[in-house]
Amino acid sequence: MFEKILVAYDGSEHSKKALDVAIDLAKRYSSEVYVVEAVDETIFETVGVLPPLSAIEEMEKKAKKDIDEAVKKATQNGVKTVGEVLSGDPATAILEYANKNDIKLIIVGSRGLSRFKRILLGSVSSRVVQESKIPVMVVK
Amino acid sequence: MFEKILVAYDGSEHSKKALDVAIDLAKRYSSEVYVVEAVDETIFETVGVLPPLSAIEEMEKKAKKDIDEAVKKATQNGVKTVGEVLSGDPATAILEYANKNDIKLIIVGSRGLSRFKRILLGSVSSRVVQESKIPVMVVK
């Protein structure tokens, strides 16, 4: 049922919880786990400045480090794991990657935004939940 | 991890899928499954009419039948199952029931509303995802 599980990861506490759930499910379903983190250069566009190259490089370096750690953790738990740094708007990048790789379940952490922030900003997890064509688990 | 799984059920195709996922997870996690359906008399308030008693009775009868079928299916699959008809606004009723019964995972079906309807109406599943304090899986 869940042969391939994707985890949206960013090194935060909520995404670490999501990874733990993914590892646990993967053991019981003999799933492959795909850990992805999106580097979103478009955030610079929203504030109307050209991104300094060093800033993007820093983001990519940080994402690479997060993913390496996550892959290491899952692998140590005996789970076959693939890690990937994606580029672009996170929700879009995650959904495209899931589609391309025939993922059966997406797991995302919830940031626990306040009601105000949620209305104002939306969130990666709610967009993924709304737009995904496969099951999505939001870990709290 | 998922000792108690709640499924929001209403007899629809999407909720049948949610039940199937719950049964599969319950087998692997030795979970107890709680199948609930909320009878929402408040929908009559929104259109400004007093609900005819017979209409509420019909809704309750239908919910009872749905739940009985779901419990039967899960039980036949060897899963320990509790069924319950709740009363009131579905998202609120589900979240309160989950809290009271120490549920560890909520599974809801996605109705696949159009973008317009989603913005206008919201949906039970998105409210449950946003307001739940425990993991929620939205089955598509």
Side-chain angles (χ1 to χ4, degrees):
Chain A
M1 182 171 264
F2 300 132
E3 301 90 338
K4 293 181 172 193
I5 298 174
L6 181 148
V7 190
Y9 197 76
D10 63 6
S12 64
E13 282 314 306
H14 66 276
S15 74
K16 281 180 182 164
K17 270 197 184 178
L19 177 65
D20 288 343
V21 172
I23 291 171
D24 198 275
L25 280 165
K27 285 185 189 168
R28 294 172 201 250
Y29 280 89
S30 306
S31 323
E32 245 178 287
V33 168
Y34 291 70
V35 192
V36 303
E37 176 160 351
V39 173
D40 187 6
E41 326 89 80
T42 63
I43 57 161
F44 291 101
E45 289 168 25
T46 59
V47 289
V49 295
L50 267 180
L53 200 63
S54 61
I56 294 182
E57 273 170 3
E58 275 308 307
M59 286 160 75
E60 274 165 2
K61 218 166 111 184
K62 188 250 176 204
K64 179 95 181 56
K65 189 166 156 278
D66 289 341
I67 292 296
D68 285 348
E69 279 172 9
V71 169
K72 193 177 162 196
K73 186 177 185 185
T75 307
Q76 281 171 344
N77 275 276
V79 172
K80 200 174 160 196
T81 313
V82 174
E84 194 104 35
V85 175
L86 309 177
S87 170
D89 164 69
T92 307
I94 288 163
L95 291 166
E96 281 179 7
Y97 186 89
N99 186 39
K100 213 179 293 168
N101 290 280
D102 199 23
I103 300 293
K104 303 299 185 193
L105 170 68
I106 297 174
I107 305 184
V108 293
S110 158
R111 264 174 212 269
L113 298 175
S114 67
R115 192 171 176 81
F116 178 70
K117 274 196 188 158
R118 217 162 51 210
I119 291 164
L120 205 68
L121 302 173
S123 69
V124 174
S125 61
S126 61
R127 267 199 59 209
V128 171
V129 168
Q130 281 175 359
E131 295 176 27
S132 172
K133 300 208 182 335
I134 57 167
V136 179
M137 188 190 286
V138 181
V139 173
K140 304 278 178 157
Chain B
M1 182 173 263
F2 300 132
E3 301 91 335
K4 292 182 173 193
I5 298 173
L6 181 148
V7 190
Y9 197 76
D10 62 6
S12 64
E13 282 314 306
H14 67 276
S15 75
K16 280 180 184 164
K17 270 197 184 177
L19 177 64
D20 288 343
V21 172
I23 290 172
D24 198 275
L25 280 165
K27 285 184 190 168
R28 294 172 201 249
Y29 280 89
S30 307
S31 323
E32 246 178 286
V33 168
Y34 292 69
V35 191
V36 303
E37 176 162 350
V39 172
D40 186 6
E41 325 89 80
T42 63
I43 57 162
F44 291 101
E45 289 168 26
T46 59
V47 288
V49 295
L50 267 180
L53 200 63
S54 61
I56 294 182
E57 272 169 5
E58 274 309 307
M59 287 160 75
E60 273 166 1
K61 216 166 112 184
K62 188 252 176 203
K64 179 93 180 54
K65 188 167 156 279
D66 290 340
I67 292 296
D68 285 348
E69 278 171 12
V71 170
K72 192 178 162 195
K73 185 176 185 185
T75 307
Q76 280 172 345
N77 275 277
V79 172
K80 200 176 161 195
T81 313
V82 174
E84 194 105 35
V85 176
L86 308 178
S87 171
D89 163 70
T92 307
I94 288 163
L95 291 166
E96 281 180 4
Y97 186 88
N99 186 39
K100 212 179 295 171
N101 290 281
D102 200 24
I103 300 294
K104 303 298 187 195
L105 171 66
I106 297 174
I107 305 184
V108 293
S110 158
R111 263 174 213 268
L113 298 175
S114 68
R115 194 174 174 79
F116 178 69
K117 275 196 188 156
R118 218 164 48 212
I119 290 165
L120 204 68
L121 303 174
S123 68
V124 174
S125 60
S126 61
R127 268 198 58 209
V128 170
V129 168
Q130 282 175 1
E131 296 176 27
S132 172
K133 299 205 180 342
I134 58 167
V136 178
M137 188 190 285
V138 181
V139 173
K140 303 277 180 160

